Amino acid sequence: MRSLLSDLISQRLADSSAGTLNKRVYQALQQAIFDGSIMPGSRLPASRDLAKELAISRNTVLASYDQLQAEGYIQTRTGSGTFVTSDLPKDGVIADNAVHHCTPVLSHVVLSERGVRLLKRTGVASQQWGAFMPGVPDVKKFPHDIWRKLQNRLSRHLHPEFLTYSRHGGCPELQQALADYLRIARSVDCTAEQILITSGTHQALDLLAKMLCDPGDVAWIEEPSYWGIRNVLTINGVDIQPVLVDENGMAPPDDFSANTENFRVPKLICVTPSHHYPLGSVMSLARRQKILALASGQGSWVIEDDYDSEFRYSGSPIPALQGLSSDAPVIYIGTFSKTLYPAMRISYVVLPRTLASRLKIAHSELYRGGNGLTQLTLAEFIREGHYAAHIRKMRLIYGKRRNALTRLIEEELGPEYLSEGSNAGLHLILSLPDSVDDVALCAELELLNILARPLSAYYSRPAPRRGLLLGYACVPEEEIEIAFGHIVRCLKRRLQLEGSLRK
């Protein structure tokens, strides 16, 4: 079998006919190393093999290798072969007639206005794993052995339809498994035909914004809220209207009418009623009914993001907003990113019957869904009870970690630092004095590999409070105290400095 390197060198030899063959082979190899076509540390073919593939003399290849080694581009290792030098010489000489295949570099790049706005409000962290990264489950606890056995068994008799593009809005087996699960676990009123499988919640929101909103339409979002929903809606030309959240959830105005000065009629009302993100408050029944009545009266769609409702540590389970009324204008979104692992990239949308077929067609047209084997494995994982068992197991683990972190906050800093009313499933909020810059504190902690997130960053307007989101789900119980110690030391140092400045 010919090597990729020989194909590359053959092409470059064909493009240049000047000079002796020895020099042309040397120049082709040198330029390929210099422009990165052959990466540092790469192993080169044996001279005999490369000569045979290029149909040239071995002495020609040896001469080229010797010259490259003399210039420091390659090195030989006894018994291992010839390798490109890991640290290339900065003053390496490139022949004047070397072939260049570089694309011209533009002097400037002009992004769209919405692209610029998006980059100004990004929330993606440079690291996505470690103490105390919010919103990340303990992926190390995932039952890989069970999953692997299911997948191996199913892959032996896989129909071609699972290896091509999805035409049903997802794997029918997974849609049915989800419909059965959601009716019992979340009181969601749906059939399998209403379920659309998406590659993550962001894709689901992007589809809904494109299909239900025109540029300039208004979406009510919670204040504070998850940065991702703001960005997805904004990039689709939807105007954002932040609505403050209190202990009962989103608090729309009591005297709302079609043309109030501060609130416009929303096309979308986006809520996290089971666990508000990030504050963790649970939307009351009265508030849920008010929002449903408002949406029905104004012709709005309620988007219910039920992202981590499975993890609740006190009180009775809270049924989904979608199940309160059989004809409620609610679009329900769930995800496996919090219960299994984020890289699976499987979420689901329960669509009203009037929207289901059209949005499934649109999803297929825009995103070309796939991952049939993964979806089929997940369906069997749910159907055989492994999913419910995993959630029960993780609920106990997360509950212990939450208790450990709560105890440390109260002992090390005091109960006033523990945010009241937070029922979030995967994180706690460490309340901070208004004088503490939570953004600067998070930047300092990141240097110590502590991945807290600043509460103020979740507000669209000037934040009325400061705090840290501390995700405990991905931190083993025995590591929580050490990691939290870094936070305590950094915070106390800032408070002491602040006190000395006041004096």
Side-chain angles (χ1 to χ4, degrees), residues 3 10 23 143 151 159 179 186 188 199 231 234 284 350 441 450 495:
S3 67
S10 294
K23 185 176 181 181
Q151 193 167 64
H159 296 293
R186 302 295 302 123
V188 171
S199 297
N231 289 341
T234 298
S284 66
V350 179
L441 179 56
I450 302 298
L495 292 173

Side-chain angles (χ1 to χ4, degrees), residues 228-380:
I229 192 169
R230 293 199 305 253
N231 289 341
V232 171
L233 294 175
T234 298
I235 205 71
N236 281 287
V238 180
D239 291 343
I240 300 298
Q241 177 75 67
V243 181
L244 284 173
V245 169
D246 60 21
E247 65 275 9
N248 292 312
M250 178 187 276
D254 293 328
D255 58 349
F256 175 76
S257 60
N259 293 294
T260 57
E261 182 179 353
N262 296 322
F263 288 90
R264 293 164 54 194
V265 175
K267 182 62 68 71
L268 305 177
I269 302 175
C270 305
V271 292
T272 52
S274 295
H275 288 148
H276 170 260
Y277 191 87
L279 299 181
S281 58
V282 177
M283 185 179 288
S284 66
L285 178 59
R287 193 66 59 78
R288 293 171 184 236
Q289 292 172 335
K290 178 179 180 179
I291 287 178
L292 287 179
L294 190 151
S296 298
Q298 301 295 336
S300 309
W301 292 104
V302 177
I303 297 181
E304 177 181 11
D305 184 358
D306 206 28
Y307 70 100
D308 75 346
S309 61
E310 291 85 357
F311 302 120
R312 184 171 174 79
Y313 310 107
S314 63
S316 302
I318 306 297
L321 179 64
Q322 190 267 2
L324 288 181
S325 173
S326 59
D327 58 350
V330 177
I331 299 170
Y332 177 95
I333 300 178
T335 181
F336 291 98
S337 293
K338 312 304 181 189
T339 53
L340 298 180
Y341 57 86
M344 184 174 286
R345 307 312 304 142
I346 295 183
S347 295
Y348 50 91
V349 187
V350 179
L351 296 162
R353 291 175 176 82
T354 53
L355 289 177
S357 61
R358 285 175 287 182
L359 263 66
K360 285 184 177 182
I361 293 172
H363 180 269
S364 179
E365 186 69 21
L366 290 172
Y367 310 111
R368 311 298 287 168
N371 297 317
L373 178 57
T374 301
Q375 292 188 30
L376 186 62
T377 305
L378 180 55
E380 196 71 0

Side-chain angles (χ1 to χ4, degrees), residues 44-61:
L44 297 180
S47 57
R48 188 185 306 277
D49 294 337
L50 184 58
K52 183 177 181 181
E53 292 174 356
L54 295 175
I56 61 177
S57 165
R58 183 189 178 196
N59 287 336
T60 299
V61 176

Side-chain angles (χ1 to χ4, degrees), residues 21-38:
L21 182 59
N22 282 9
K23 185 176 181 181
R24 288 163 55 205
V25 172
Y26 154 75
Q27 288 175 340
L29 285 166
Q30 180 200 50
Q31 183 62 32
I33 294 171
F34 190 78
D35 65 20
S37 297
I38 306 176

